[in-house]
Amino acid sequence: MALSGGADRGSHSMDKSITLPPDEIFRNLENAKRFAIDIGGSLTKLAYYSTVQHKVAKVRSFDHSAKVSLQETDGDPLYEISVQEEITARLHFIKFENAYIETCLDFIKDHLVNTETKVIKATGGGAYKFKDLIEKKLKLKVDKEDEMTCLIKGCNFVLKNIPHEAFVYAKHADSEFRFQNTHPDIFPYLLINIGSGVSIVKVESEDKFERIGGSSIGGGTFWGLGALLTKTKRFDELLQLASKGQHTNVDMLVKDIYGGAYGSLGLTGDLIASSFGKSATTDKEFSKEDMAKSLLHMISNDIGQLACLYAKLHNLTRVYFGGFFIRGHPVTMHTITYSINFFTKGEVQALFLRHEGYLGAIGAFLKGAEEDNPNQYSWGENYAGSSGLMSVSPDLNPVQRARSGTFSFDMLEMDRLERQLVNLPLLQDPTSYIPDTVDLTEDALAREYWLFCFEEALDGVVKRAVASQKDQPEAVERAEKFRQKYRHKLQTLRHQPFAYGSLTVRSLLDTREHCLNEFNFPDPYSKIKQKENDMALKYYLKVVKSVEELSWEQRQFTLVKGLLAGNVFDWGAKAVSDVLESDPDFGFEQAKQQLQERPWLVDAYNQWIERMKGPPHKCALFFVDNSGIDIILGVFPFIRELLIRGTEVVLASNSGPALNDVTNSELQILTERIAAMDPVIQ
């Protein structure tokens, strides 16, 4: 079955219905329970909770306690690997045009297995209009929830759970979306919701908010007046006209009155003195595009000034904008941003949200799930199942534009994380800590380099995935599906690097792991890691002994070289994986010999040595990387030196797999084994 919508497809005159396999949209429906729906004037947002069964690689230490000496354990593997089935919770949010609603409800009805679900939470103006249809099709009772309460609940949820949810829009910058770091405390903030009118809401805590103002001049005003002026009835078409218009043909500027700037009042010549001012004094026809642009500026400036005054009055610096007037449209985001910058002299930034269109549906869902207390968990965006923020720039090719959610289906999936996430308590200032060294959204050269690296490495990852499940004949087919999905994600990110917030090497790795998990490859490198760890352990005491025989200066240099050499053993780099595939005996000493001479690309060795001559550090937090030689022969001898000096050492590792990185459960077993060999570590 394919889904195709009604005739109303928004701004492009594409005589093309968008066809998508429904099971790729309404994923995991057979395990779905708890539904919520938010129906607006033109878009429906559906939310549901499901359980997902997938494979997880677990490691368990072998019991070596009966062995008399460490030598006797030499031939034994350090730990065993088992693949287990695990059930996790997932939230699904789907956005589509109201034209599709009946077809979608039919599909859900046909695939809904869980009969425990009796109620669907509903919000939005359309909840009343479609109530009977929903109850008839799904045999569920529609329970209506307050729209503003749902909106605020949804906003709190995305700000807390999705990194880089909020962004600043900069039209003429290299990167038009500038994502903000998630603040540990999201409150208080101002939400300016621009629907037909404008509501201004002050949010102080999870359950405390107040509508402190508003205006009847909002999105409905732009649409209504725009329709009268241009005879254009569709909202998206109006925005398209505005994006092509030149408001200075219609608006009276300061320089039209004074011949230039009005210096003593600080008004520049290009400032609008009177919206539509020229239409009263000029005897000529104005183009639809120019009138639409003038109208857009007039309403955006009015809303911007109101927002600034309320922010100032309540001493708030975080101001988020949402509602159907915004809906990710560059032309409205730009005019609002300009207005806020002007009225606050840059002190307040206009902030927009990646998942702004889902807030009502998320809030309605949370209202229905209160007994499960979803807020006690942390949730992470699943990049494999989410379509991401698509550019809605009107000059993009229509097919690309059509994927934005304005014409087609748009998905957000969130997985419940094993542990609740908190800000690292050791950080002096969590708000300023950025865990990634390069923002690939802004650095085009670095972005192309890394996307190329990940594309180049893809064949190797597919090969590893198949090799990790040799006994399963369908593994080849699943690995091929993984390849197609991940390659498609990389292609999307090449054209739209902002799709999932700030693009970083970390998010590229996360996306790859999410895609691998989707096709049941929980840890393709687990056996390689096991083999590398067993091999490196045999050389640990020898490396420690050779280091101890060196003079102090030589020892420090050798330990740092060991760190760099160990870091070479990363299967993520194609050149390295090629060497490791072709020469399994390539080892620690060869890696050290191949290091370039100083100065290194990033070289703070002299400063490090000077500091090491001083008193011991109180505490060192060490983020570890690869299994085997890296962690055992590179990291452990290095941190051993710190321990001897009296420094407390914290090792930080991944909770889940990523290539041959050592995971936390593997690291615990490794540390116990090394401690049994080495009294310093013990």
Side-chain angles (χ1 to χ4, degrees):
M1 174 190 138
L3 298 176
S4 69
D8 184 2
R9 279 205 169 64
S11 59
H12 287 283
S13 54
M14 290 196 302
D15 189 27
K16 230 188 228 177
S17 74
I18 305 224
T19 308
L20 271 173
D23 53 354
E24 283 185 27
I25 300 162
F26 302 101
R27 287 160 35 109
N28 226 40
L29 257 183
E30 66 279 7
N31 299 325
K33 54 181 183 176
R34 295 209 192 289
F35 280 84
I37 198 162
D38 172 16
I39 309 175
S42 59
L43 292 173
T44 296
K45 285 78 70 178
L46 179 75
Y48 60 94
Y49 166 101
S50 78
T51 50
V52 184
Q53 191 164 353
H54 59 95
K55 289 183 166 59
V56 184
K58 299 274 186 186
V59 295
R60 191 167 65 91
S61 179
F62 281 116
D63 183 11
H64 297 293
S65 55
K67 302 283 181 181
V68 180
S69 69
L70 283 161
Q71 279 67 36
E72 287 185 56
T73 67
D74 266 7
D76 301 335
L78 178 62
Y79 51 80
E80 62 176 328
I81 304 161
S82 62
V83 174
Q84 299 169 13
E85 293 286 342
E86 199 169 84
I87 291 173
T88 53
R90 180 172 289 172
L91 302 180
H92 303 254
F93 304 100
I94 299 144
K95 184 164 60 176
F96 51 88
E97 283 180 55
N98 290 353
Y100 291 103
I101 193 164
E102 200 160 344
T103 321
C104 290
L105 291 174
D106 280 335
F107 183 80
I108 293 165
K109 178 189 72 179
D110 293 343
H111 292 76
L112 196 56
V113 178
N114 190 328
T115 50
E116 293 168 33
T117 307
K118 305 291 182 200
V119 173
I120 181 166
K121 291 285 184 183
T123 189
Y128 298 90
K129 183 180 171 185
F130 290 101
K131 176 181 181 287
D132 294 342
L133 179 71
I134 295 166
E135 290 189 336
K136 181 182 158 199
K137 293 276 185 191
L138 298 185
K139 305 284 188 284
L140 298 175
K141 180 180 175 289
V142 171
D143 190 0
K144 293 194 279 292
E145 291 289 344
D146 175 68
E147 198 169 349
M148 191 55 74
T149 305
C150 291
L151 195 71
I152 302 301
K153 267 192 174 299
C155 194
N156 294 343
F157 182 84
V158 295
L159 287 173
K160 277 194 311 190
N161 285 287
I162 303 183
H164 305 139
E165 172 63 26
F167 63 89
V168 172
Y169 183 74
K171 185 182 178 184
H172 300 298
D174 289 341
S175 171
E176 54 185 330
F177 297 88
R178 289 189 181 152
F179 294 94
Q180 308 296 293
N181 279 333
T182 306
H183 198 283
D185 184 10
I186 63 169
F187 305 110
Y189 65 84
L190 204 60
L191 179 64
I192 316 292
N193 191 49
I194 314 168
S196 301
V198 179
S199 284
I200 298 175
V201 185
K202 180 184 180 182
V203 184
E204 294 184 74
S205 69
E206 203 63 61
D207 301 305
K208 189 180 177 190
F209 67 88
E210 178 190 4
R211 186 184 188 275
I212 54 174
S215 169
S216 61
I217 300 169
T221 317
F222 173 69
W223 199 347
L225 275 178
L228 291 172
L229 288 167
T230 68
K231 304 292 181 274
T232 301
K233 293 289 184 189
R234 289 184 188 164
F235 185 78
D236 286 359
E237 268 184 37
L238 261 178
L239 283 178
Q240 268 224 290
L241 287 174
S243 70
K244 295 172 185 167
Q246 185 55 262
H247 76 98
T248 53
N249 294 334
V250 184
D251 293 342
M252 190 175 285
L253 309 182
V254 168
K255 65 183 176 188
D256 295 324
I257 302 171
Y258 299 106
Y262 194 151
S264 60
L265 290 182
L267 304 175
T268 63
D270 291 326
L271 209 61
I272 299 171
S274 173
S275 295
F276 288 93
K278 285 180 183 169
S279 58
T281 56
T282 310
D283 191 21
K284 68 165 190 173
E285 286 287 312
F286 294 98
S287 76
K288 289 180 180 182
E289 289 82 359
D290 293 347
M291 288 190 290
K293 187 61 166 278
S294 174
L295 183 62
L296 182 67
H297 275 291
M298 182 177 87
I299 287 164
S300 297
N301 287 341
D302 187 55
I303 294 168
Q305 186 162 31
L306 263 181
C308 293
L309 291 170
Y310 277 105
K312 215 166 239 181
L313 191 63
H314 292 267
N315 199 24
L316 296 170
T317 53
R318 277 175 281 189
V319 183
Y320 299 102
F321 288 83
F324 89 85
F325 182 70
I326 302 293
R327 220 169 71 197
H329 287 290
V331 66
T332 54
M333 291 193 295
H334 175 62
T335 49
I336 290 281
T337 299
Y338 179 85
S339 169
I340 292 284
N341 281 343
F342 175 78
F343 289 117
T344 68
K345 297 183 168 60
E347 284 176 24
V348 175
Q349 287 186 312
L351 294 166
F352 305 96
L353 301 170
R354 276 174 58 210
H355 299 103
E356 181 273 320
Y358 290 112
L359 303 186
I362 293 171
F365 173 81
L366 293 172
K367 284 288 284 180
E370 277 173 347
E371 65 194 61
D372 292 339
N373 197 2
N375 275 327
Q376 72 179 330
Y377 305 106
S378 290
W379 301 80
E381 185 171 1
N382 182 329
Y383 299 137
S386 298
S387 41
L389 179 74
M390 298 297 176
S391 175
V392 286
S393 172
D395 48 358
L396 271 180
N397 124 10
V399 176
Q400 212 174 1
R401 168 90 167 83
R403 291 169 54 202
S404 70
T406 310
F407 305 108
S408 185
F409 292 80
D410 185 271
M411 288 91 75
L412 164 65
E413 288 184 5
M414 298 188 74
D415 289 335
R416 192 169 79 195
L417 304 179
E418 212 176 312
R419 300 171 185 82
Q420 189 161 22
L421 297 186
V422 295
N423 283 288
L424 180 67
L426 297 176
L427 285 173
Q428 198 167 5
D429 177 17
T431 57
S432 63
Y433 174 65
I434 300 168
D436 305 289
T437 45
V438 187
D439 183 346
L440 304 180
T441 330
E442 299 197 3
D443 189 332
L445 273 174
R447 177 167 72 242
E448 190 44 52
Y449 169 80
W450 279 106
L451 287 170
F452 177 75
C453 283
F454 277 87
E455 281 170 344
E456 279 283 280
L458 190 50
D459 286 346
V461 178
V462 169
K463 189 176 165 187
R464 273 291 133 219
V466 174
S468 71
Q469 297 181 6
K470 284 187 192 137
D471 54 334
Q472 298 183 29
E474 85 293 350
V476 175
E477 188 187 336
R478 281 187 285 116
E480 194 48 48
K481 284 180 178 172
F482 154 72
R483 183 208 303 273
Q484 288 168 9
K485 181 143 205 172
Y486 189 56
R487 181 175 282 147
H488 175 68
K489 292 285 177 192
L490 292 174
Q491 286 165 351
T492 300
L493 290 165
R494 179 167 268 121
H495 297 295
Q496 309 194 135
F498 45 78
Y500 298 106
S502 281
L503 181 63
T504 64
V505 177
R506 188 164 54 100
S507 67
L508 287 169
L509 284 165
D510 283 345
T511 307
R512 181 163 66 191
E513 291 306 317
H514 293 176
C515 293
L516 280 166
N517 278 325
E518 179 164 325
F519 297 105
N520 263 326
F521 294 107
D523 189 356
Y525 289 81
S526 58
K527 291 189 174 75
I528 284 183
K529 290 188 287 181
Q530 184 187 37
K531 187 177 160 191
E532 289 178 341
N533 288 333
D534 289 338
M535 185 65 71
L537 273 170
K538 293 175 184 170
Y539 294 98
Y540 175 73
L541 289 175
K542 184 181 166 190
V543 168
V544 166
K545 189 170 182 293
S546 68
V547 166
E548 283 179 331
E549 288 168 357
L550 300 170
S551 68
W552 187 87
E553 286 269 2
Q554 283 180 312
R555 188 163 74 247
Q556 304 315 311
F557 188 59
T558 301
L559 288 168
V560 170
K561 274 182 74 173
L563 268 188
L564 293 174
N567 205 243
V568 163
F569 292 84
D570 188 330
W571 284 80
K574 188 174 184 296
V576 174
S577 63
D578 287 349
V579 169
L580 298 177
E581 288 274 20
S582 60
D583 181 8
D585 297 326
F586 181 82
F588 190 48
E589 290 308 316
Q590 290 97 313
K592 279 202 285 194
Q593 286 160 20
Q594 291 197 14
L595 285 180
Q596 68 186 72
E597 294 298 309
R598 289 191 64 209
W600 298 313
L601 181 64
V602 177
D603 193 330
Y605 180 73
N606 294 344
Q607 294 96 301
W608 172 251
I609 284 300
E610 282 311 304
R611 176 61 188 83
M612 285 291 276
K613 288 173 182 171
H617 300 83
K618 186 182 171 199
C619 180
L621 175 62
F622 201 110
F623 291 86
V624 303
D625 191 6
N626 310 299
S627 292
I629 287 175
D630 188 6
I631 180 72
I632 295 166
L633 306 184
V635 172
F636 267 100
F638 183 87
I639 62 160
R640 187 178 187 277
E641 184 77 6
L642 297 179
L643 292 167
I644 290 167
R645 283 166 54 83
T647 300
E648 182 190 347
V649 175
V650 180
L651 295 182
S653 55
N654 295 349
S655 50
L659 292 168
N660 67 322
D661 286 7
V662 65
T663 61
N664 194 259
S665 50
E666 292 161 351
L667 183 60
Q668 288 187 36
I669 295 169
L670 276 177
T671 309
E672 282 168 18
R673 173 59 75 87
I674 291 172
M677 300 160 73
D678 184 348
V680 174
I681 302 295
Q682 183 69 58

